Amino acid sequence: MREVGPRVKSTDMSDTRTSRRVTGVGTVLTFVYAVMALGATGRSFVQIAERFSDAPIPYLLSAASAVVYILATVALLLSKSRTWYRIAWIAVAFELVGVLVVGTLSVLAPDIFHADATVWSYYGSGYYWIPLVLPIVGLYYLYSQRKKVAA
Amino acid sequence: MILWFTIAQIALAVLVGLVCIGLGLAGRRPGDVSVGAMALLQLVLIVQVIVAIVAPFVGNSPTGSGLEFWTYLVTAAVLPIAGIIWAFIDRGRWSVVVMGVLALAVAVMTYREWIIWTVQGA
């Protein structure tokens, strides 16, 4: 009994210690999202500051993708809360749609999207395909966490 | 930018990245090796910031967009310290993997900085 006591206690601690924040392998996913958020924000900032008039609509889309990456990062970080878990689903799904739609458009109608327009152009090939793979991994992760989400 | 220093920086970032990911996957918590390696990478990035400030005054100017270059450099320069801070918040093995991923991101960004500085039309 003396051995069981502390062990039960330490399990309880690890459960309550991080009740809202993401834990385990999810932190790695969250940080990859954070890096993509920084990359997309940086690219968008340079586009808008330096040459916004060249292609206003693609560059606005680029800014939108950056905002969604930031939102997805925050939502994943807090994804143990139910509300943020839902927001994470929406943000990650939006990115999957974005990379597929913009990727396809950039191949079929390259005139609309400059090569540098968004992180989603050419299915994210300029970012080592991470923008294509990340939402799929993200959706899988969120699906695998569905029973661990706090009420 | 200086070629040999850029190569050294990318090599260090890749090495730190692989070591940290390896240590993390092996189940090691943040320790002297992983946090120390990230601190070293942070130091090298600060030197790179100084190099990038001084270089144009000695005739080594970027051929591409200075704004884009600095966006990459500033972003890269906050990644190691972010990883170290995270390792103090969450002392689990996955924080070590996180630090490794951030170090690899530094490698990619440093490569992009070099392209912006030297090669145009790429």
Side-chain angles (χ1 to χ4, degrees), chain B residues 34-80:
Chain B
S34 50
V35 174
M38 290 300 276
L40 179 65
L41 185 60
Q42 181 69 63
L43 191 68
V44 168
L45 281 162
I46 291 167
V47 173
Q48 173 62 69
V49 169
I50 295 166
V51 166
I53 291 169
V54 173
F57 293 103
V58 293
N60 178 359
S61 294
T63 61
S65 160
L67 181 66
E68 194 172 7
F69 173 84
W70 277 103
T71 305
Y72 271 112
L73 181 50
V74 169
T75 307
V78 299
L79 294 183

Side-chain angles (χ1 to χ4, degrees), chain A residues 10-27:
Chain A
S10 77
T11 311
D12 283 343
M13 274 177 72
S14 66
D15 282 341
T16 54
R17 184 172 55 97
T18 50
S19 57
R20 291 190 65 207
R21 181 165 59 67
V22 66
T23 51
V25 71
T27 59

Side-chain angles (χ1 to χ4, degrees), chain B residues 18 29 57 78 110 116:
Chain B
L18 294 178
R29 289 165 177 274
F57 293 103
V78 299
T110 306
I116 295 166

Side-chain angles (χ1 to χ4, degrees), chain A residues 17 21-28 31-32 35 38-39 41-43 45-46 49-51 77 126-128, chain B residues 65-68 71-72 75 78-79 82-83 86 89-91 94-95 97-98 101-102 105 108-109 111-112:
Chain A
R17 184 172 55 97
R21 181 165 59 67
V22 66
T23 51
V25 71
T27 59
V28 180
F31 269 81
V32 177
V35 170
L38 283 171
T41 306
R43 165 177 283 210
F45 161 69
V46 171
E50 239 174 25
R51 47 180 189 273
L77 193 67
Y127 284 78
Y128 306 93
Chain B
S65 160
L67 181 66
E68 194 172 7
T71 305
Y72 271 112
T75 307
V78 299
L79 294 183
W86 183 255
I89 295 171
D90 180 353
R91 292 165 186 249
W94 293 109
S95 294
V97 178
V98 163
V101 168
L102 293 177
V108 171
M109 288 175 181
Y111 172 71
R112 288 255 169 120

Side-chain angles (χ1 to χ4, degrees), chain A residues 39-144:
Chain A
T41 306
R43 165 177 283 210
S44 170
F45 161 69
V46 171
Q47 287 169 339
I48 289 174
E50 239 174 25
R51 47 180 189 273
F52 181 66
S53 55
D54 288 3
I57 292 171
Y59 290 163
L60 282 177
L61 188 65
S62 182
S65 80
V67 170
V68 177
Y69 272 115
I70 295 168
L71 182 65
T73 306
V74 175
L76 282 169
L77 193 67
L78 304 173
S79 62
K80 295 221 166 152
S81 106
R82 175 154 297 190
T83 309
W84 283 107
Y85 178 80
R86 281 211 187 115
I87 294 169
W89 264 107
I90 294 165
V92 174
F94 182 89
E95 269 164 41
L96 185 60
V97 173
V99 72
L100 292 176
V101 170
V102 174
T104 305
L105 281 174
S106 66
V107 172
L108 296 181
D111 298 345
I112 305 176
F113 292 99
H114 297 207
D116 78 329
T118 76
V119 296
W120 291 327
S121 303
Y122 301 103
Y123 302 106
S125 64
Y127 284 78
Y128 306 93
W129 310 98
I130 292 170
L132 181 61
V133 176
L134 205 52
I136 297 169
V137 176
L139 290 177
Y140 173 78
Y141 172 76
L142 288 171
Y143 180 74
S144 73

